[in-house]
Amino acid sequence: MSTGGIANRSWQEWLSSLPAFFLLLGVIAYTTSADIHSQLLKLGQSTWDSYFELRNDPSAPTCNPNTNIDSELTKLIAAKEAEAAEDEFGLFDDEPVNKAALRESLERSQALCQEKFATYESIQDQMTTSVVIFRTVERFIADVVAFGLGAQKFILAFMVIICAATATLSRHQIAMRPMESEFDHRWSSLLQTIANGMLFYSSIAFWNLSYVGKEVIEAEREGIHIAWVVGFGVLTLCSLYQLFNIPKDAKKGGGFGHAMLSVPLYTQMCLISGTYFILQGHTAGIGVYLDKMMDFSDMFLNLGLFVWTGMMLKNTRLASLVFNVFRPFRMPTELLAFVAVVVAAVPTAYTGASGIFVIAVGAVIYQELRRAGARRQLALATTAMSGSMGVVLRPCLLVVIIAYLNRDVTTDELFFWGNRVFILTAVLFLAFVWFTRDKSVKANPAPMAEALPEALRLLKPILPYVLVLVSVVLFYHYVLDTALNEFSAPRVLPVILLGFLLYEHFTRKRFEGNEEEPEYRGIEHSTRTSINETTAHIGALLLVMGLSVSIGGVMERSGVMEMFPQVFESPWIAMTALVVLLVFVGMIMDPYGAVILVNATVAAIAFESGIEPLHFWMVCLVAFELGYLSPPVALNHLLTRQVVGEREVELASQEGNTFWRRHEKILLPLVTMGTALLIVAYIPLWYMSS
């Protein structure tokens, strides 16, 4: 569905977008506070040598530093002699009292006590007003960090429910086809109500299951259960409301086939997994697997931050300005599409998954390619594939997870070969897009002497953005000692984009009325629009990712993966079977869940069959990306449809006079990634066997 109307719904802004905005800001606040707190501790220790002792008010020692040694020694000797006199039966050896040893012990105790008092007085002397103020600030920041970490799971639960309800009420869930007819709306809403009811019932069953054998459960766990139960209850009511609230502009009638395609993916996954668990007598099954999101709450919250970053980027002038730089060269649109997918690989490496990048920046890439004159089919193909090449580049979190789960491979090895896979896919994309170009359109590139000065002129407006980016990165690096990498990117990138919006807000008068410049409506409109779009996208994407974990649970519990042979006689046969399986897994699961499932099931089979671990995981990454681009699910294409709008996809289907042109948006990514997968899978086997 188009996102154009989402930004104008005031009920969403107050009931969903505004809470989601504060939740995302809260995540940035407590994650950045951790960096600030670390630096405050370093500053405190460098300013006051004993700052870690000054952080808390010291307690005065209870011992006596001015003890009379002779008096205490006399008392001890008298006590020892009294003890000996009471030993009527001679149970203990009658040894003389060692006065020297007793005195030495008393003197050591007194010295230790005096040392404690000296330390206490020294700390008291150092407890100046500046120390008190500094430690108050430092401890407040520490409390913010602790509160944020403790509330992280609740933030995710609230985020899922708020955004999912928004996506449901705005009819923005991810489906293979949009709802068009009245029958589409009724059938889709009915199945959504049943699926949400399953989630509601399963969350109650999981809550009750948590009490089995326990009188009470920990407060945090019970709070999460309550959040899921209430949240899925609200989601059920939202879909029930939609069932009786059919849009007035919906077409009359409708067919069952199209209606089934309009059912959201998460609903189909929920109905499949829910039915399986109910038949198995495990009604809490969906709740159990959906709750596993809490174990990776930081990762899913980061996903939300990446989507917000992309929506803010969409509302800046930056993408248009970057594409403007290439326009003076009058390069063919096919070459511009190649530039787009290669440039997009870098931010994809930071977001960690191609689907996230398509949601975040896909609309920008599509719009700019169309503005440059690219045909719709090519623009859709490029948008769907825009994030597919970067998942093998440093510092992609998906690769880091693979290395974390396997001791047989390292991140350096994976990224080393990942760079080569990236070059391979980029060359293949360029070859196929150039080979299939419209040869009737003659290329008319501008002379370099003419194009280069104009390109340099158009490069100047980008320099302030570079300055903002560098300033934020340097601030985090030198002030907070935080480098921009896969771990810090979720909290740093939104700050950079907010800096872009602020720059545009204060300099908007320079480009208002200039026809060459994209329209800018101010920071309030840009921020509001971006968070409205972010809310719906997060809700749709998180439900799909959460329910894909449940589907993975069905595959794991049903024994489907165990039906796979435990070892193959030939690595060639093993590779062929694994390629088919991995592409299928990529069709139905999110990348992180897919890696965990594959690592626990078929990875060992590949190794036992003679496939090297490094080789296997590179095949996995390429196969997953092919899966995300392959029908019938083709998640990246569904996400592309989600961000560019159904109207554009319909118009694209009417273009072209050949089979390739009519289906280029599907065929170009399939041919590119399919060829890359064949090369990555079989060429190393041929090389090692030769």
Side-chain angles (χ1 to χ4, degrees), residues 338-407:
F338 166 74
V339 172
V341 295
V342 170
V343 172
V346 175
T348 302
Y350 282 92
T351 61
S354 59
I356 299 173
F357 184 81
V358 172
I359 279 281
V361 191
V364 178
I365 293 177
Y366 181 82
Q367 292 169 0
E368 293 306 323
L369 284 173
R370 288 289 297 143
R371 184 180 298 179
R375 54 189 180 275
R376 286 186 175 86
Q377 287 282 344
L378 176 60
L380 288 173
T382 304
T383 302
M385 202 177 169
S386 58
S388 297
M389 295 186 185
V391 295
V392 292
L393 298 179
R394 189 181 297 274
C396 180
L397 184 57
L398 190 61
V399 176
V400 176
I401 292 175
I402 291 174
Y404 174 79
L405 294 173
N406 294 267
R407 296 183 178 180

Side-chain angles (χ1 to χ4, degrees), residues 471-580:
S471 298
V472 174
V473 171
L474 291 179
F475 173 81
Y476 272 88
H477 181 73
Y478 289 105
V479 177
L480 301 181
D481 194 24
T482 301
L484 179 60
N485 52 37
E486 68 272 23
F487 304 107
S488 64
R491 62 181 180 273
V492 177
L493 293 179
V495 177
I496 293 174
L497 265 297
L498 286 172
F500 290 170
L501 291 176
L502 284 171
Y503 163 73
E504 292 186 354
H505 179 75
F506 289 111
T507 60
R508 64 187 184 278
K509 292 184 178 179
R510 297 182 184 178
F511 52 86
E512 285 179 348
N514 187 343
E515 295 182 356
E516 294 183 2
E517 299 287 356
E519 182 182 5
Y520 179 72
R521 301 181 183 178
I523 189 171
E524 186 275 336
H525 178 274
S526 297
T527 305
R528 179 165 51 86
T529 302
S530 63
I531 196 63
N532 287 344
E533 295 172 340
T534 298
T535 306
H537 287 314
I538 289 176
L541 193 57
L542 284 183
L543 278 183
V544 170
M545 296 183 76
L547 269 299
S548 72
V549 176
S550 184
I551 288 292
V554 171
M555 295 174 62
E556 186 178 6
R557 292 172 64 93
S558 64
V560 171
M561 305 302 290
E562 296 176 3
M563 296 170 60
F564 209 70
Q566 297 303 299
V567 66
F568 290 87
E569 294 182 0
S570 166
W572 293 87
I573 299 175
M575 181 60 73
T576 302
L578 288 170
V579 162
V580 174

Side-chain angles (χ1 to χ4, degrees), residues 68-259:
N68 189 314
I69 299 295
D70 293 330
S71 175
E72 288 297 317
L73 181 60
T74 302
K75 291 178 183 178
L76 279 176
I77 293 173
K80 292 281 186 182
E81 290 175 347
E83 242 182 66
E86 292 175 0
D87 185 15
E88 299 176 0
F89 302 100
L91 297 176
F92 303 101
D93 295 334
D94 188 16
E95 294 183 358
V97 177
N98 190 336
K99 297 180 181 180
L102 289 177
R103 176 179 288 277
E104 183 180 354
S105 176
L106 288 171
E107 289 174 346
R108 282 201 304 268
S109 298
Q110 186 182 48
L112 182 60
C113 181
Q114 291 172 347
E115 183 179 337
K116 290 181 178 179
F117 267 94
T119 301
Y120 170 74
E121 292 171 358
S122 174
I123 293 175
Q124 288 286 74
D125 292 339
Q126 295 180 66
M127 199 67 69
T128 61
T129 303
S130 59
V131 171
V132 172
I133 294 174
F134 182 87
R135 76 171 187 177
T136 300
V137 174
E138 180 263 310
R139 289 166 64 178
F140 172 77
I141 300 297
D143 291 340
V144 171
V145 175
F147 175 80
L149 292 175
Q152 190 169 250
K153 295 181 179 179
F154 291 97
I155 294 175
L156 176 61
F158 294 146
M159 181 79 72
V160 170
I161 299 305
I162 291 172
C163 296
T166 302
T168 298
L169 291 173
S170 61
R171 294 182 172 87
H172 202 75
Q173 298 288 5
I174 300 172
M176 295 185 184
R177 290 292 184 271
M179 293 177 283
E180 297 177 349
S181 67
E182 291 181 352
F183 185 69
D184 292 347
H185 284 278
R186 293 196 186 280
W187 182 250
S188 178
S189 298
L190 174 62
L191 292 187
Q192 285 185 66
T193 302
I194 296 173
N196 293 334
M198 282 184 170
L199 289 170
F200 176 62
Y201 180 67
S202 182
S203 60
I204 294 176
F206 182 36
W207 188 9
N208 293 333
L209 183 64
S210 300
Y211 276 103
V212 175
K214 301 178 182 178
E215 295 183 0
V216 295
I217 58 177
E218 59 184 79
E220 178 187 287
R221 176 54 57 186
E222 184 164 18
I224 293 296
H225 284 309
I226 294 174
W228 283 134
V229 171
V230 174
F232 289 130
V234 170
L235 197 58
T236 304
L237 293 176
C238 290
S239 55
L240 186 62
Y241 170 79
Q242 293 295 75
L243 179 61
F244 297 100
N245 185 36
I246 306 301
K248 295 180 180 179
D249 59 349
K251 298 177 182 177
K252 300 295 182 182
F256 183 76
H258 191 282

